[in-house]
Amino acid sequence: MGKIAVVYWSGTGNTEQMAKAVLEGAQKAGAEATLFEVDSFAVSEMGGFDGFAFGCPAMGDEVLEEGSFEPFFAEAEGKLSGVPVALFGSYGWGGGAWMESWAERTKNDGAKLVGDGLAIENGPDDEGLAQCEKLGADLAAAV
């Protein structure tokens, strides 16, 4: 089973909860998975992993967080071709357009997108956490 990095940014803790559930799902499925806040993970470390779960909430006008996550992801995009990737995040308004555009962007990078991107309104409830765990397990199966 492959190595997975779960890399996320969270402002209120909702996306962090999701990240921990994705991690748990990947680990239960047999993957060697590690959790990283985006500021503690460098693009140069990506070569040591077989797959990635990226988590970021919708910000502003339904965009990725622009201070840390967007610059990281923009740099990481060049290393995603052919790599299994799962996307997740929370939102508090709008209909999840940020996830749709992020998923399309990731597919255009050549990544093997696992799922369509998991967007959960506000904090994840038990069903949402189960969806996160399944996403982690699905990613583990893809690496």
Side-chain angles (χ1 to χ4, degrees):
M1 189 67 56
K3 288 180 69 175
I4 294 171
V6 180
V7 183
Y8 73 96
W9 184 92
S10 186
T12 63
N14 293 339
T15 301
E16 181 178 16
Q17 274 186 285
M18 294 176 72
K20 289 177 179 177
V22 169
L23 175 77
E24 188 174 338
Q27 290 173 334
K28 283 181 180 176
E32 181 183 335
T34 308
L35 187 68
F36 299 94
E37 288 187 69
V38 70
D39 289 333
S40 67
F41 187 80
V43 170
S44 62
E45 297 175 81
M46 289 178 68
F49 294 89
D50 304 304
F52 301 92
F54 295 117
C56 185
M59 302 294 288
D61 190 23
E62 291 215 50
V63 296
L64 297 174
E65 189 276 328
E66 296 174 302
S68 296
F69 198 87
E70 173 59 41
F72 162 79
F73 193 76
E75 186 180 348
E77 285 182 282
K79 297 181 181 271
L80 297 181
S81 183
V83 177
V85 172
L87 305 176
F88 63 93
S90 62
Y91 65 98
W93 60 90
W98 108 101
M99 184 58 73
E100 292 172 19
S101 61
W102 189 18
E104 188 62 31
R105 176 179 171 185
T106 303
K107 284 188 240 180
N108 289 339
D109 293 330
K112 296 178 183 175
L113 192 62
V114 175
D116 297 322
L118 178 58
I120 293 180
E121 188 172 6
N122 299 315
D125 57 12
D126 289 344
E127 181 183 335
L129 291 172
Q131 290 175 319
C132 291
E133 283 192 33
K134 182 182 182 318
L135 183 64
D138 290 349
L139 179 60
V143 294

